[in-house]
Amino acid sequence: MNDCLFCKIIAGDIPSGRVYEDERIYAFKDINPQAPVHVLIVPKTHLSGLDGLEEAEDRLLASLLRAAHTIAAREGVETSGYRLISNCGPDACQSVKHLHFHLLGGKQLSEEMD
Ligand code: 5GP
Ligand code: ZN
């Protein structure tokens, strides 16, 4: 059985604040938000992270980026601006090994990238 936290969230075994869903993608509010808008965007199929993309269809990767724009509009930050981040590996502090993008917005974000 898959022991991945985000797979459990996608399956509905762990509750989450869903903000978007389509046949390939699920998006939900981060439990520990770093900005007024902090959404996690994940593929429904398990991929380890940016280091696991050889297993992914190009169509899925394009859909993730398009979903980010749709979610930004729904969350009201399309015009004010937003940031999309995916942490990969120990130096980036990736804590969940299921590919995810953080969509952050709703405040002036730091110019620093770390
Ligand atoms: P990472 O550090 O891997 O880039 O991001 C993992 C994110 O998942 C963190 O921002 C963390 O707050 C979030 N997170 C961890 N556990 C849960 C959970 O059970 N529910 C939700 N909604 N977010 C979670
Ligand atoms: Zn998973």
Side-chain angles (χ1 to χ4, degrees):
M1 176 58 190
N2 186 348
D3 201 32
C4 169
L5 173 65
F6 286 175
C7 283
K8 288 177 181 165
I9 286 176
I10 293 160
D13 296 339
I14 294 173
S16 65
R18 183 181 66 171
V19 298
Y20 175 89
E21 184 171 12
D22 65 30
E23 67 268 38
R24 289 186 276 273
I25 292 163
Y26 189 76
F28 54 101
K29 292 186 184 298
D30 196 292
I31 203 168
N32 182 25
Q34 305 298 307
V37 173
H38 188 168
V39 176
L40 297 171
I41 307 168
V42 306
K44 286 184 173 176
T45 53
H46 181 90
L47 299 165
S48 60
L50 290 174
D51 53 354
L53 297 189
E54 62 280 355
E55 297 169 33
E57 290 184 11
D58 290 354
R59 188 174 58 168
L60 170 62
L61 302 178
S63 296
L64 285 163
L65 296 180
R66 289 213 180 84
H69 180 247
T70 301
I71 292 161
R74 284 190 188 177
E75 295 292 310
V77 298
E78 182 184 24
T79 305
S80 54
Y82 56 97
R83 184 172 287 164
L84 199 59
I85 297 169
S86 186
N87 297 318
C88 183
D91 277 2
C93 303
Q94 180 183 6
S95 61
V96 180
K97 300 283 188 280
H98 181 129
L99 176 64
H100 54 282
F101 289 91
H102 299 255
L103 190 150
L104 296 155
K107 71 172 187 179
Q108 179 63 59
L109 298 169
S110 166
E111 288 185 14
E112 306 294 328
M113 282 297 169
D114 64 349

